[in-house]
Amino acid sequence: MSENKKAEKITAVKGMNDILPQDSHLWQLFENTAQSVVQSYGFQQIRTPIVEDTALFKRAIGAVTDIVEKEMYSFTDSMNGDQLTLRPEGTAGAVRAVIEHNLVYEGPKRVWYTGPMFRHERPQRGRYRQFYQFGCEAVGFTGPDIDAEMIMLCRRLWDDLGLENIRLELNSIGDAGERARHRVDLIAYLESHEALLDAEAKRRLHSNPLRILDTKNPAMQDMVNGAPKLLDYLGEESLAHFNGVRKILDHNNIPYVINPRLVRGLDYYNRTVFEWVTDALGSQGTVCAGGRYDPLIASFGGKPTPAVGFAMGIERLLELMKEVGEPEQPNLCDVYLVHQGEAAQLQSFVLGERLRDAGLDVIMHGSTANGPGSFKNQMKKADGSGASFAVIIGEDEVTNHTASVKAMRGAEGEQQATVPFDEVVDYVVDQITGSGDHHHHVHDEHCNH
Ligand code: ATP
Ligand code: MG
């Protein structure tokens, strides 16, 4: 590259977003809240690789699905020719790991995961090519109780996040036999309305007709509303399971609407399916989707083991959180260290470590191309950091073995004090814990709400 030519800028991949420092506190608020909610139900975290064998997703998700047909980031490993895929969802990897490490043989398990997922879709509001999910899987439980527990766990999370107006839609898609009987009638019905089917529906008519029911094509809505309902095909056991879920939800005053058109896009689901939906996000209104997938584990070669899970889209939930009111930006630190001269800088380093030992968050003024900067400039930075105190060490302080402690905006108590060097930590901790200042970090992890 010639010297007078500006280097070309490289930007992020389309549909894949940076999460910047000004937004990361909102992400942390979500993640911390979600983690503490699932922990309160006994779920343990599982962390699986972002890249898996392509065959895993083809088998787990099903060949005739949006994801496998057109959304997967698949590639050949140029080193050895392996067919690999960036995970489009979290269930397949979690279940693979549970089987591979024989976790199911130890008894039922409740696990949760979070992380990035990848789907090659058209980027738009609430729909990205790298997006984040938070999900849970409960493996080895048969009864409707765990389905209801999962739903109640979500409800608790919405409450803890202060989110209202997320409604629960519920359905049962029965078992394979029930779906097979429904399928015959569904195909006959759809064929009798063939003129109304769009190209995608025509293509799916014989491969995955159930998916036609959740079409987003407005022109097909009336027609699919009149289609045979799976609920009418449920046998005694499936119906009992469905009613079992409903009974627990009713008993706990969890409102829901039964949506007979609710089918999951993933082939391995059975019985309970549910979605949490909001009208506040335009057309990308589903914030969480889940259900039972009893047949999956056996289809992977594992011992037949029932399972139920859900995944929520974090970006969509953060958008909802922002609408309710964005939480205040947390302060960057409790104490900002201002120093002039080499000896003072060395003293500040020692003090910084001692303050951090005491549990405080400390920013030490750092040098830039212009050097350490004037006292005035450093105080400006201290102010901008939101620190409760600036601790100042200059030449006089070095000579006298003291530091000047200045209360910043919002801090109560003495405005400025000269404190012996060895007493600075106690002094600052006393001031902060005694002042009733809600923004300090001592003994308080969740300082921002
Ligand atoms: P949709 O019908 O919106 O495409 P889906 O059925 O593909 O959803 P799931 O596979 O069930 O979605 O994923 C669970 C949740 O993850 C969704 O309800 C949504 O909140 C979120 N999600 C799915 N795809 C994306 C995406 N591309 N960008 C952002 N969030 C997404
Ligand atoms: Mg999708």
Side-chain angles (χ1 to χ4, degrees):
M1 185 186 321
S2 79
E3 270 183 31
N4 50 11
K5 210 173 170 187
K6 247 192 163 176
E8 210 176 299
K9 271 193 192 136
I10 297 175
T11 57
V13 174
K14 185 178 172 196
M16 304 197 180
N17 300 313
D18 298 309
I19 298 160
L20 300 175
Q22 71 251 28
D23 284 328
S24 56
H25 74 289
L26 194 64
W27 282 79
Q28 286 165 0
L29 180 59
F30 173 84
E31 285 161 354
N32 292 339
T33 309
Q35 183 171 338
S36 92
V37 166
V38 296
Q39 225 160 280
S40 78
Y41 288 81
F43 284 75
Q44 295 173 291
Q45 191 179 22
I46 187 162
R47 302 187 188 217
T48 62
I50 283 170
V51 175
E52 300 268 3
D53 226 310
T54 301
L56 175 77
F57 300 116
K58 284 196 176 155
R59 181 130 39 114
I61 299 170
V64 194
T65 54
D66 283 347
I67 293 179
V68 172
E69 280 182 334
K70 52 189 187 203
E71 295 175 358
M72 293 209 301
Y73 280 94
S74 297
F75 58 97
T76 307
D77 185 331
S78 61
M79 300 298 163
N80 60 10
D82 286 351
Q83 296 298 315
L84 304 175
T85 294
L86 299 183
R87 65 179 182 197
E89 53 94 52
T91 302
V95 167
R96 178 202 48 71
V98 162
I99 296 167
E100 188 168 332
H101 303 287
N102 288 325
L103 301 187
V104 279
Y105 295 93
E106 298 164 8
K109 277 268 171 313
R110 290 174 170 89
V111 297
W112 66 271
Y113 62 83
T114 189
M117 308 296 162
F118 303 84
R119 297 184 194 178
H120 196 99
E121 315 198 53
R122 192 169 66 78
Q124 54 196 288
R125 181 185 184 199
R127 194 176 289 286
Y128 312 101
R129 291 181 174 174
Q130 174 170 332
F131 63 100
Y132 289 76
Q133 286 185 336
F134 184 97
C136 282
E137 315 292 348
V139 179
F141 300 95
T142 319
D145 50 324
I146 197 82
D147 309 28
E149 180 183 288
M150 289 248 171
I151 289 169
M152 288 171 64
L153 177 165
C154 294
R155 176 79 263 165
R156 178 176 291 276
L157 178 56
W158 314 149
D159 289 346
D160 284 3
L161 293 171
L163 301 179
E164 287 162 9
N165 303 323
I166 303 181
R167 66 174 181 278
L168 173 60
E169 300 196 349
L170 190 66
N171 193 20
S172 173
I173 56 170
D175 64 22
E178 289 151 5
R179 281 201 299 278
R181 281 188 288 282
H182 168 258
R183 185 189 156 106
V184 174
D185 293 353
L186 178 62
I187 291 176
Y189 174 87
L190 293 169
E191 276 173 344
S192 72
H193 293 84
E194 198 162 357
L196 290 168
L197 301 182
D198 60 18
E200 188 174 77
K202 279 187 183 133
R203 201 163 44 79
R204 287 189 165 156
L205 185 54
H206 293 280
S207 56
N208 196 351
L210 203 55
R211 277 305 306 271
I212 299 174
L213 293 180
D214 74 356
T215 176
K216 283 163 189 149
N217 183 349
M220 289 170 57
Q221 297 305 311
D222 283 347
M223 187 272 292
V224 290
N225 274 330
K229 295 178 173 46
L230 241 172
L231 277 180
D232 296 331
Y233 293 75
L234 297 191
E236 217 172 294
E237 277 183 49
S238 291
L239 210 51
H241 188 97
F242 188 50
N243 288 333
V245 177
R246 296 184 58 182
K247 190 174 173 185
I248 297 168
L249 296 180
D250 291 339
H251 186 75
N252 287 281
N253 299 315
I254 310 279
Y256 55 87
V257 287
I258 291 175
N259 177 358
R261 283 179 46 193
L262 189 63
V263 294
R264 298 292 299 117
L266 314 184
D267 265 0
Y268 50 72
Y269 279 80
N270 73 324
R271 291 194 172 166
T272 314
V273 288
F274 63 88
E275 282 192 3
W276 292 93
V277 187
T278 176
D279 294 322
L281 295 178
S283 52
Q284 263 58 253
T286 304
V287 293
C288 176
R292 219 163 235 290
Y293 54 94
D294 294 336
L296 182 69
I297 290 179
S299 84
F300 271 30
K303 178 178 96 173
T305 308
V308 50
F310 66 76
M312 41 185 81
I314 300 182
E315 285 86 352
R316 296 182 191 181
L317 287 163
L318 295 193
E319 261 211 69
L320 277 186
M321 287 166 74
K322 283 185 187 165
E323 257 166 43
V324 175
E326 226 166 320
E328 223 178 299
Q329 282 282 347
N331 294 326
L332 286 178
C333 63
D334 303 303
V335 177
Y336 196 96
L337 294 176
V338 172
H339 48 87
Q340 283 289 298
E342 199 186 332
Q345 188 191 46
L346 282 172
Q347 287 285 57
S348 290
F349 260 105
V350 173
L351 195 54
E353 293 308 313
R354 288 192 196 164
L355 288 162
R356 293 181 186 109
D357 286 345
L360 294 169
D361 294 346
V362 181
I363 291 181
M364 180 159 155
H365 187 82
S367 310
T368 63
N370 305 323
S374 66
F375 175 74
K376 199 173 147 206
N377 170 44
Q378 293 193 34
M379 285 307 292
K380 230 191 213 159
K381 288 276 172 354
D383 200 42
S385 74
S388 306
F389 291 92
V391 175
I392 304 151
I393 303 182
E395 278 172 26
D396 289 351
E397 283 84 0
V398 171
T399 313
N400 301 330
H401 301 287
T402 59
S404 296
V405 181
K406 186 175 188 314
M408 306 297 284
R409 267 185 312 186
E412 289 159 28
E414 270 183 83
Q415 284 313 293
Q416 176 139 1
T418 302
V419 181
F421 188 77
D422 284 337
E423 293 170 23
V424 172
V425 174
D426 286 346
Y427 178 86
V428 171
V429 169
D430 275 0
Q431 293 273 314
I432 285 181
T433 50
S435 70
D437 172 3
H438 296 298
H439 296 288
H440 69 80
H441 296 71
V442 190
H443 310 305
D444 183 4
E445 269 183 275
H446 303 287
C447 50
N448 55 351
H449 77 141

